[in-house]
Amino acid sequence: MSARAILADSSQEAASPYRADVQKRTITYDDQIARWFVFASVAWGIVAMLAGALAALQLAFFKANLPPFLSYGRLRPLHTNAAIFAFVGNMMFAGVYYSTQRLVKATLASKLLGRIHFWGWQGIIVSAAVTLPLGFTQSKEYAELEWPIDLAIAAVWIVFAVNFFWTLAKRAEKQLYVAVWFYIATIVTVAVLHVVNALSIPVALLKSYSVFGGAQDALVQWWYGHNAVAFFLTTPILGIMYYFLPKAAERPVYSYRLSIIHFWALVFVYIWAGPHHLLNTALPDWAQTLGMLFSLMLWAPSWGGMLNGLLTLRGAWSKVREDPVLKFFAAGVTFYGMATFEGPLLSIKSVSSLAHYTDWIVGHVHGGALGWNGFMAAGMFYWMVPRLFGTKLYSRRAAELHFYIGTVGILLYIIAMWVSGVTQGMMWRAVDAQGNLMYPSFVETLIAIRPMYWMRLFGGTLYLAGMIMMGWNLYMTAKSGKAVDGEAEIIVEVTQAEEIDWKRIVFGPPVVIATITLVLLLAIAFANPAGAAGLLLLAGIVGFGGIFALTLVKRPDKPTWHAILEGRALLFTVLTVLAVLIGGVAEIVPSIVLGQTDAELAKKTNAPYRALELEGRDVYIKEGCYTCHSQMIRPFRFETSRYGEVSTLDDSRWDHPFQWGSKRTGPDLARLGGKYPNVWHWQHMIDPRSVSPGSNMPSYAHLEHGRVDFTAIEGKLRAMRSVGVPYTPDEIAAAPADAAKQAAEIVKDLAAQGIAANPSSELVAMTAYLQRIGKNPPPPPPPAAPMPVSMTNEKAPR
């Protein structure tokens, strides 16, 4: 026996496989948790935008850097983590808790778990706000936090998942609405992504090394990084769109069938697209091509979702002119469409060759973050808070002003970054008639785009002003009312579900079509170019054609396959996990064995870092140098002319984590080793403009006074050996002495130039690392053969 609420306006009752007698019941929702998350999101959102404004100022005006704790390299990860996990994360939880209870007609399963989730998440945010400025980072984008915080994230996420699925188990409404589908996909996929990407070997309380290295780490990281955007910043917000937009517009979702196609296509296709962040790199071509193809396929489901949202407003556009909530929702969905058009465009290799490492990518990311996430958050908050406090919005005019200020701010920001990015890309590749670089100095491009940095700062500041205005408006709204929890009187069915053969679901037409499509896609890896194109076309026909055909099949006397699936939360979740894991396994497993199968890596020409070089690399990571510098020279003449030989997989094979980078605010460093003398690096780190006039790089003079703990070096080498770096026991035991020897050599060289340096200085270690990058020492010679006795002074035995 089970209970199910009957919606008075349900259009699916004729197809329901349930028969029942009815009872009435009143339930009270737990809305306190939603109130907490709303105001936490607003507060952290303002902090995130403040950090972003300061970072933008630092790029335009280097004196705004406040080393060591608030220099750009440490501030940028703080800004991104605050925007993603503090602002959008809290907004997502507020929307999920509020809407899920109403969609499943059940109060939150556990208040205690909800409170643990809230305070645990805020504790994680605070720990990030403390550790990142202190330089404790794993240097993996959107996953910088160190291993104890990673464990805390996993624990809190499990608490959230348990409470969510427990609430589903208690639901009175049997059928799962489309918003809940997206929440399920978010919860299970983020858990998988986080666990795999966070695998590391701790060496101290706040220091660890990734178990993956080089190309493997790059592929795993961007499998995570791209899908963190997909399943943390996109799918839950789509779920929120499917609930709050129809509520605000007082109209049903435009197309239930389109929502089915949107969900399953997005969940399946998105997970494959990560390698498009690594186009034209040393990553094998098969992985790059796979990422590009699936990224292009994302156009269809993404725009399907956008159209479903916008078309829901059909007949309600007069309300959009008057209601600031609908203005934010309509603009947010539009920005989602823009971002999901631009993303696949940027995944085309030829476009990526121009845009990658430039500010164009920054503009693309912020179009989604500020336009899609930020505006959807604002619309949801302006709709929710009056209802959470039993009152009206304090100032509709202030909300309208927020909308226009925010829109202008976003447009100025994006346009500035588009212009800046295209300018960078064109100047980097510009050559004269003789084939020589027209702008050989990297600083020339930086000077050219500086006005765009000021324009970005102005646009971002406008957006920040709108956020502050929203915070004031929501606070005054809450102050004018009183916290109330929603109540609902529902009609409950005491039901006896009809038996439905599980084989009808597991072996239903959608599963069969998806399986055939997957087999065709996997076969592409083993086909020649012509065969691959044919298989791709056939897969598209079978997949999209089959899905379209299924949407036309409707039997009024029986529930559809998907309607049956929607009534079974566990089975729905299992199929979602399988849809996600197929793409993940197809990418990650080859990446794990990559180093064992690639012929180039088999040459083993690159030796591991010496002890002091490894310490210097840790200093490099601590200071966030990876946020401005790449270590990946692409196979283009304009790059090899500027930076040196094309990067290979072997160059980074011992890098745990990898340092290929994603943005060039400064030049690529892949072949930096041996290019300049030690004194140049010393002066460059203390006063960058003394050797590079016009640079916006902050000073790192504090590294001269920082100290390396030589006693900890052995533990670091042992950890690196455990992840596959071939340090021998003798090398590990001799590491402190070797580090001291190399430091003494650098100090002696600096002394000859009139610079007195301490051998244990972090700047000495950093110099050792910078001199090593890309300058791979030759492998040790093979052991000498024993000298024949006849060639020694000893007499041969008789």
Side-chain angles (χ1 to χ4, degrees), residues 56-354:
L57 176 62
Q58 291 171 343
L59 290 175
F61 182 62
F62 74 89
K63 292 183 180 179
N65 284 275
L66 304 171
F69 304 120
L70 291 178
S71 59
Y72 179 81
R74 298 194 189 185
L75 184 63
R76 192 247 183 183
L78 176 63
H79 163 61
T80 56
N81 276 266
I84 295 171
F85 300 109
F87 171 49
V88 181
N90 280 298
M91 170 261 190
M92 172 186 75
F93 296 135
V96 170
Y97 277 123
Y98 183 90
S99 62
T100 299
Q101 295 181 82
R102 287 157 173 82
L103 288 171
V104 303
K105 296 296 184 288
T107 192
L108 192 63
S110 171
K111 285 189 176 184
L112 176 61
L113 291 181
R115 276 57 181 171
I116 293 173
H117 177 199
F118 176 82
W119 290 112
W121 197 256
Q122 308 319 307
I124 289 167
I125 295 169
V126 171
S127 66
V130 172
T131 58
L132 290 174
L134 291 175
F136 297 107
T137 173
Q138 295 190 68
S139 79
K140 304 177 77 168
E141 291 196 57
Y142 316 138
E144 290 91 349
L145 303 181
E146 271 292 357
W147 67 271
I149 307 175
D150 278 341
L151 291 177
I153 292 171
V156 172
W157 197 261
I158 290 172
V159 169
F160 171 46
V162 168
N163 211 5
F164 177 83
F165 286 109
W166 189 1
T167 303
L168 292 193
K170 293 175 55 182
R171 70 190 187 278
E173 171 54 50
K174 189 68 176 179
Q175 299 298 107
L176 300 178
Y177 178 67
V178 58
V180 180
W181 311 346
F182 282 98
Y183 300 158
I184 290 172
T186 296
I187 292 171
V188 298
T189 308
V190 168
V192 173
L193 294 170
H194 175 72
V195 168
V196 174
N197 192 55
L199 294 174
S200 59
I201 301 297
V203 294
L205 179 60
L206 290 171
K207 179 62 183 176
S208 63
Y209 293 121
S210 171
V211 299
F212 305 106
Q216 297 99 325
D217 194 42
L219 193 52
V220 171
Q221 158 59 25
W222 283 114
W223 168 76
Y224 162 88
H226 177 78
N227 291 301
V229 173
F231 289 92
F232 199 93
L233 300 178
T234 303
T235 55
I237 314 305
L238 286 170
I240 285 170
M241 178 197 80
Y242 274 112
Y243 178 80
F244 288 96
L245 179 59
K247 282 285 188 181
E250 298 180 333
R251 297 186 63 82
V253 171
Y254 171 70
S255 173
Y256 167 73
R257 295 179 184 178
L258 183 55
S259 68
I260 295 175
I261 298 172
H262 176 208
F263 173 77
W264 288 108
L266 198 71
V267 167
F268 177 77
V269 174
Y270 231 130
I271 205 76
W272 296 75
H276 79 227
H277 291 265
L278 302 168
L279 297 179
N280 302 302
T281 66
L283 195 72
D285 283 340
W286 68 264
Q288 296 184 41
T289 301
L290 194 69
M292 183 179 72
L293 290 175
F294 276 91
S295 298
L296 293 174
M297 291 168 62
L298 276 172
W299 258 326
S302 297
W303 271 50
M306 177 200 69
L307 292 174
N308 213 8
L310 291 179
L311 290 175
T312 299
L313 295 172
R314 283 197 319 170
W317 287 105
S318 59
K319 294 183 179 180
V320 176
R321 290 195 299 269
E322 303 169 358
D323 188 353
V325 170
L326 288 179
K327 281 187 173 69
F328 277 107
F329 282 150
V333 175
T334 302
F335 275 111
Y336 171 68
M338 291 172 56
T340 53
F341 173 82
E342 192 178 24
L345 176 67
L346 290 168
S347 71
I348 300 172
K349 280 191 176 183
S350 57
V351 180
S352 178
S353 69
L354 172 70

Side-chain angles (χ1 to χ4, degrees), residues 609-614 678 710 735-749 759 764-765 767-769 771-772:
Y609 295 106
R610 292 176 63 181
L612 188 65
E613 295 163 358
L614 183 62
N678 291 327
F710 283 5
D738 181 66
K741 177 183 176 182
Q742 189 175 11
E745 293 170 353
I746 294 173
V747 168
K748 180 179 178 181
D749 181 63
V764 170
T767 301
Y769 173 65
Q771 291 288 34
R772 167 61 195 280

Side-chain angles (χ1 to χ4, degrees), residues 508-580:
V511 177
V512 174
I513 291 172
T515 303
I516 295 173
T517 304
L518 176 63
V519 171
L520 292 172
L521 290 172
L522 293 178
I524 292 175
F526 305 97
N528 57 35
L535 287 170
L536 181 62
L537 177 61
L538 183 58
I541 293 172
V542 172
F544 291 105
I547 292 174
F548 180 74
L550 285 175
T551 62
L552 300 178
V553 177
K554 186 176 181 181
R555 296 184 60 180
D557 59 322
K558 289 187 177 181
T560 63
W561 178 88
H562 205 273
I564 298 171
L565 181 62
E566 291 166 24
R568 283 151 178 77
L570 178 59
L571 187 55
F572 190 99
T573 302
V574 170
L575 290 180
T576 302
V577 172
L578 289 176
V580 169

Side-chain angles (χ1 to χ4, degrees), residues 351-427:
V351 180
S352 178
S353 69
L354 172 70
H356 195 46
Y357 295 128
T358 74
D359 286 319
W360 185 350
I361 307 301
V362 178
H364 165 64
V365 169
H366 282 77
L370 301 180
W372 164 236
N373 294 136
F375 271 19
M376 292 300 292
M380 187 185 82
F381 294 158
Y382 283 132
W383 188 88
M384 276 180 63
V385 171
R387 288 163 175 79
L388 289 172
F389 289 91
T391 185
K392 294 182 178 180
L393 184 63
Y394 181 77
S395 175
R396 289 172 63 92
R397 299 183 71 176
E400 293 268 1
L401 183 59
H402 172 201
F403 172 77
Y404 290 112
I405 288 176
T407 301
V408 172
I410 293 172
L411 294 177
L412 288 175
Y413 192 112
I414 296 175
I415 292 171
M417 292 297 93
W418 281 343
V419 173
S420 174
V422 173
T423 301
Q424 285 174 309
M426 297 302 291
M427 290 182 71

